[in-house]
Structure formats: C-alpha cells, structure tokens
Amino acid sequence: SSLLTALGILAMASVTGTAIGLAAGYFGGWVDEVLMRVTDMFLAFPALVLAMGMAATLGPSLFNAMLATAVVWWPWYARLVRGQALHLKHEAFVDAARVSGASAFRITVHHILRNCLTPIIVQMSLDIGYAILTLARLSFIGLGAQPPTPEWGSMVSLGRDYFLEQWWMVTFPGLAIFLSVMAFNLLGDGLQEALSPRLRR
C-alpha cells in the first residue's frame, strides 16, 4: 500500500500542478499572478507540517493522508511546468501553431505539454521516495494508515513497543522504506541522464 499510495499522491499532484503551471505560463498576466500567489501561499508553509494539519483535520486514514500530501505537493510541479511554459511559448513552432489558427488548448496540450513531459517524469521518479517517506511519517504518528492496513510507517509504529524482544518488527519495514527511497532516487538520476540530451553529451 505504501508504493500504490505514493503513486496516487504523485498522480494527483502532477496533474493538478501541471494544469496550473500550463495556464500560468501560457496566458501570463493576471492569470499568472493569481495562480502563482496561490502557489506561493502553499510553498510558504513546510510541506510536512501542512500535510499533518490537513490529515488531522480530515481524519486518520490512508486515503486522507494521501489527499493531504497531494494537496501540499502540487506547487512544485506548478513551478516547474510554468518555467517550461514561459520558455516554450516563445519558440518558433508555437508561433507557427498560433498563426495557423490553433486554439490555446491545442497549443498548450499538443505543443507545450509534450515538451514538458521529460522534466515532469524525472521529477516524479525523484518524488516517489519522498512521498513514501511522508506517508510513513504520517502513519507513524497515527494520521495515516490504520491497522490492519499494511503500511510501512504504521508497521514501524506498532513494532516499536516490542523492539527489544522482537527487533524484526521494526527493522524490516524500516529497511523496506530505506531501500525503496534509495532505489527511486537512483531511478530518477538514471532517467535524468537518459532523457536529458545535455547530460548525455
């Protein structure tokens, strides 16, 4: 459940952040100002503290922890996609599509979004590990998965009372968290090198 929930967090956060970043970067003006000020409001708070507050408000469950984490995670994707959109909207192929009569929706989806996929994929692969850690923290303090749902943070929390007699109850869930985070970080680095032409050169 830790891996599936982390994927759910990134799916919701990336879709929301990408849509907001595309709108802000392409349209600019007051649209950009309003959307980026809302984004800055979320970035002003530590992500873990804000996720804890939202999870506590929604109630302790794995779905609420996933939703709370996704709500505080989207601003990074909005910032990333906005920067890409600001650069790409002045490219020649976008001007050609605009002159040919393509709508704003078609330009943003078929021309700008396609060229933003590489940094989004790399960022998602790097963020899976952090999403797993955030879920484990929320479950450890009782705001995430509830027994008998098998989630690594919840398993560590339940096993800490038996650490001296049954050390494996804490060790193996913690080791699974460590290995998963390290594996996804290595995957993200590998994808960045494979998908970035500048790094390949």
Side-chain angles (χ1 to χ4, degrees):
S1 60
S2 299
L3 295 175
L4 292 177
T5 310
L7 291 175
I9 289 172
L10 293 179
M12 290 190 290
S14 61
V15 170
T16 305
T18 299
I20 292 175
L22 281 175
Y26 181 77
F27 292 107
W30 66 269
V31 176
D32 185 25
E33 285 294 325
V34 171
L35 293 178
M36 287 302 102
R37 296 300 75 80
V38 174
T39 302
D40 291 339
M41 287 172 54
F42 281 89
L43 291 174
F45 296 93
L48 180 60
V49 175
L50 188 56
M52 289 170 58
M54 295 192 64
T57 303
L58 295 172
S61 72
L62 187 59
F63 178 79
N64 289 341
M66 178 179 69
L67 186 62
T69 308
V71 167
V72 301
W73 217 284
W74 66 262
W76 284 282
Y77 289 93
R79 283 288 186 183
L80 173 66
V81 176
R82 174 185 176 266
Q84 294 289 322
L86 285 173
H87 170 71
L88 291 170
K89 74 176 183 178
H90 298 296
E91 293 290 332
F93 64 90
V94 175
D95 291 334
R98 192 179 295 116
V99 169
S100 66
S103 63
F105 178 80
R106 181 174 179 81
I107 292 174
T108 53
V109 172
H110 290 276
H111 298 282
I112 296 179
L113 179 58
R114 284 186 178 181
N115 288 280
C116 295
L117 288 180
T118 296
I120 292 173
I121 292 172
V122 172
Q123 187 65 40
M124 288 181 68
S125 63
L126 291 171
D127 282 346
I128 293 179
Y130 295 109
I132 293 172
L133 279 176
T134 303
L135 280 173
R137 291 167 182 164
L138 292 177
S139 296
F140 183 81
I141 61 177
L143 295 176
Q146 302 298 307
T149 303
E151 199 276 329
W152 289 328
S154 177
M155 293 165 71
V156 172
S157 179
L158 291 173
R160 62 182 172 174
D161 295 332
Y162 310 99
F163 178 69
L164 295 179
E165 296 84 12
Q166 298 171 333
W167 54 268
W168 55 88
M169 293 182 66
V170 176
T171 303
F172 287 110
L175 186 61
I177 295 172
F178 169 76
L179 292 176
S180 298
V181 173
M182 184 176 67
F184 282 113
N185 281 338
L186 293 175
L187 175 64
D189 289 339
L191 284 175
Q192 189 172 16
E193 292 180 3
L195 298 176
S196 177
R198 293 181 180 178
L199 289 178
R200 285 203 302 268
R201 287 199 297 265

